[in-house]
Amino acid sequence: MSTVLNEVLIANRGYVAGFDKGDLPMPPGRHFAILTCMDARLDPAKYAGLSEGDAHVIRNAGGRASDDAIRSLVISYKLLGTREWFVIHHTDCGMETFTDEIMRDLLSSSLKTASVDASGWHDCCEGPGSAEAKYIDWLTIKDQAQSVLEDVVRIKSHPLVPSDIPVYGYIYDVKSGELIEVPEATAAGK
Ligand SMILES: [Zn+2]
């Protein structure tokens, strides 16, 4: 068994032994949702003060308003009653370190994990790669405030999103843990 698999299963046995959250209702008790990055340094439960049952947290690379993130947000309000949403990107995001072109080039030559240094990303290993990466919009980020604004605007202007859901735009600072507002985004999300 892999070390990680073993560690996770042991941790889960400990979690089950003290578990007392079995009677929570499905709809989030505090009626809000957060769209944020999958970055391992971000813990939305801690940075936003969430307990089990409080809120929906939708995560992907960058915390971007992809079609699938919007699918989740629409389910979140339409069937589960959330009434306020946050878009939270963060400083030092990996999505700022590459472009669609770089990702497509890397994946076209090899599927192995790439490495990064001062001159950029490099494939370490032989192929095969795949041309499939050409068909994916990787939703990379050049500027965090701009990406938060773009995603809030996309969510607010989506035909399946009702106009009375406010969307707040923030950047999480990985050095301080602080949520820093992107005022233009929050204004666009009113
Ligand atoms: Zn990130």
Side-chain angles (χ1 to χ4, degrees), residues 78 126 142-143 159 171:
K78 181 68 179 175
E126 306 240 312
K142 270 192 200 146
D143 174 88
I171 296 170

Side-chain angles (χ1 to χ4, degrees), residues 37-39 41-42 60-63 90-95 141 144:
C37 186
M38 68 184 189
D39 191 294
R41 296 167 292 180
L42 275 57
N60 62 34
H90 67 99
T91 60
D92 195 38
C93 185
M95 299 297 282
I141 293 174
Q144 291 292 341

